[in-house]
Amino acid sequence: MGVTVLVVGSGGREHAICWRVLRDRPDAKIYCAPGNGGIGTIATLVPIGASAIDDLVEWAKTQQPDLVIVGPEEPSALGLVDQLLSAGIRAFGPSAAAAQLEVSKAWTSSLLQRAGIPIPRTAIFDQAVDAHNYVDSREHLVVVKADGLALGKGVLVCSNVAEAHSAVDLLLVERKFGDAGSPIVIQDRCFGPELSVFALCAGTDFRLLGAARDYKRAYDGNTGPNTGGMGAYTPVTDARPQLLQEIADRVIGPTLEATSRAGAPFTGILYAGIMLTPNGPVVIEFNVRLGDPEAQVILTTSSGDFVSAIELAIDGNLQKVDFSPNGSAAVCVVLASKGYPNDYDKGHEINGLDDLPNGALAFHAGTETSSGSVYTSGGRVLSIVGHSDNIHSAKRLAYRAARQITFKGVHMRTDIATSEISTLTDTNGERLK
């Protein structure tokens, strides 16, 4: 009898998780709550929202799955894992206390500062007048962040003092994100390439799962508003073993020790958003989950059994984990609705999903099915992944497949992994093909 798994969530990350579970355990029975149009082709959809904690717990008590995997951050923040474990259900994800690493930027910044973990210079405010005075006192450009969860839109990167003042007003005066926008965290703006590093964690023990680079801005050239993510790729040339070891030693390990000291030991997948500055790696954010769209490339380029790795983490036995990058490459291109991350239309039919080229995968996010057709139902609609033995061919596959898929108003960035390919040179200084 195969393992029975409930995956909680409805995005491209959750589709990738379901896909990976089924790849590793072909006899698995997979449920997904609430899922989406694409996930419904490989899992049984459960019509319960990811934030309906009581309903999810009752479903799990009745159905008794062998394992619950929590995809997004909000259910963990609301205590889903705590309640499932209390009910005797094996669940993978952080406790509500540990989820503060993502849920509260103010809590996390204070924790990291006390632990001596490298972060930008940081100040926290709940009054607009004090925040404005601080902005005027700084000679550096700043980033203004909503304290709480804001669907990837609560980080305002400011290019001048006027933008910083506007960001303060947006969060503390206009209350753009309600209670999630207060207090605010103001940090000096750092410069350098970003890197997403993932670790499978159990208390103070951890195993690195790999690194990826994602693209948060809506438009080519890293312009436009921040989004939940417009694409990603792995491997990353500058994520060399020595750098990853430094991040493990200076960031991941000390953070897990700090959360344990704070009474919030962390079990789950920790995502460290790192800026590679001239002075070394600096933490710019933590997420308490696999990223989206990073999950789509990490899970397609790893060897080992994902379910076994998760079960070992729950048991606190990471020494036996065999799940790591396999040396292949993946590039993910997000197809979004016109207008995302702001207002956008829904309900447009999606064509071209059949007969994708070999090596290409379509992970659904904002989709729904009706009468055998697939329609848009969200801002980020599909994650198209090209998987190959090198970044160049993976990118070519991803864009070939992405351009095959059409719906009204489809939008994508055309420069995912372009900078990576431009840095790939052999010993003669010639670009690798």
Side-chain angles (χ1 to χ4, degrees):
M1 187 72 174
V3 65
T4 300
V5 179
L6 171 66
V7 176
V8 176
S10 61
R13 165 185 49 237
E14 287 73 40
H15 193 177
I17 290 171
C18 291
W19 171 87
R20 182 66 198 226
V21 169
L22 190 62
R23 200 193 83 167
D24 292 345
R25 303 289 184 92
D27 58 350
K29 175 60 176 177
I30 306 173
Y31 294 90
C32 189
N36 61 45
I39 295 175
T41 64
I42 60 173
T44 299
L45 300 186
V46 178
I48 302 175
S51 300
I53 305 304
D54 292 343
D55 292 341
L56 288 168
V57 173
E58 285 305 312
W59 184 95
K61 287 180 177 178
T62 301
Q63 300 296 326
Q64 291 291 311
D66 299 306
L67 176 66
V68 177
I69 302 173
V70 182
E73 66 281 8
E74 188 172 11
S76 294
L78 293 173
L80 176 58
V81 173
D82 305 77
Q83 291 195 36
L84 289 170
L85 293 176
S86 294
I89 307 294
R90 287 172 65 80
F92 179 71
S95 66
Q100 289 181 94
L101 278 172
E102 179 169 359
V103 173
S104 175
K105 296 179 181 65
W107 184 86
T108 300
S109 297
S110 298
L111 181 85
L112 300 185
Q113 285 177 317
R114 291 195 304 271
I117 295 165
I119 65 172
R121 177 169 174 165
T122 299
I124 301 167
F125 302 96
D126 56 14
Q127 298 296 321
V129 62
D130 297 329
H132 286 304
N133 288 337
Y134 180 79
V135 167
D136 286 332
S137 74
R138 297 298 299 145
E139 296 180 357
H140 289 80
L141 296 173
V142 299
V143 178
V144 180
K145 301 180 177 181
D147 175 59
L149 300 176
L151 300 176
K153 304 170 188 175
V155 176
L156 305 170
V157 180
C158 306
S159 299
N160 52 56
V161 172
E163 288 185 5
H165 284 303
S166 295
V168 169
D169 284 337
L170 185 72
L171 297 178
L172 288 181
V173 179
E174 300 173 32
R175 307 284 292 178
K176 170 70 173 178
F177 299 112
D179 290 343
S182 180
I184 62 170
V185 175
I186 301 180
Q187 294 184 323
D188 282 0
R189 185 173 169 182
C190 296
F191 294 89
E194 292 186 34
L195 189 67
S196 303
V197 180
F198 298 89
L200 180 68
C201 307
T204 57
D205 197 10
F206 67 96
R207 295 291 180 272
L208 293 184
L209 298 181
R213 179 157 288 147
D214 74 325
Y215 293 71
K216 295 182 176 67
R217 296 296 188 100
Y219 309 125
D220 286 4
N222 291 323
T223 60
N226 271 340
T227 72
M230 293 298 294
Y233 68 87
T234 192
V236 182
T237 299
D238 46 18
R240 297 179 176 88
Q242 183 177 358
L243 174 64
L244 291 178
Q245 189 61 53
E246 181 182 2
I247 292 169
D249 294 340
R250 296 185 61 199
V251 174
I252 306 294
T255 297
L256 295 176
E257 292 169 3
T259 57
S260 291
R261 286 196 301 270
F266 188 96
T267 293
I269 292 177
L270 185 63
Y271 161 168
I274 304 292
M275 184 77 78
L276 303 178
T277 76
N279 296 319
V282 171
V283 178
I284 56 174
E285 67 173 343
F286 274 120
N287 291 333
V288 296
R289 53 189 165 80
L290 275 169
D292 186 342
E294 294 97 331
Q296 290 87 306
V297 296
I298 293 291
L299 292 177
T300 54
T301 57
S302 298
S303 60
D305 187 317
F306 187 53
V307 173
S308 291
I310 285 174
E311 292 175 330
L312 289 166
I314 294 172
D315 294 336
N317 191 15
L318 295 185
Q319 290 79 11
K320 295 184 178 180
V321 167
D322 180 19
F323 189 83
S324 60
N326 62 18
S328 63
V331 173
C332 174
V333 177
V334 170
L335 301 185
S337 297
K338 182 180 180 181
Y340 174 78
N342 299 312
D343 294 336
Y344 54 84
D345 292 332
K346 302 178 183 179
H348 299 302
E349 185 174 1
I350 303 170
N351 295 297
L353 285 167
D354 298 327
D355 300 320
L356 294 180
N358 289 335
L361 297 163
F363 293 118
H364 292 231
T367 71
E368 60 184 10
T369 57
S370 178
S371 301
S373 297
V374 184
Y375 297 87
T376 65
S377 65
R380 288 190 295 173
V381 178
L382 295 160
S383 294
I384 309 305
V385 174
H387 179 225
S388 187
D389 59 358
N390 64 77
I391 287 287
H392 190 278
S393 57
K395 177 186 175 182
R396 186 169 59 242
L397 266 173
Y399 276 107
R400 179 183 166 194
R403 292 187 174 104
Q404 174 181 318
I405 299 166
T406 60
F407 55 87
K408 184 179 179 181
V410 60
H411 164 67
M412 65 178 170
R413 284 187 58 159
T414 64
D415 61 348
I416 306 301
T418 297
S419 58
E420 177 71 19
I421 291 173
S422 70
T423 65
L424 291 173
T425 56
D426 65 12
T427 54
N428 296 317
E430 295 174 350
R431 185 177 298 179
L432 296 174
K433 302 301 182 185

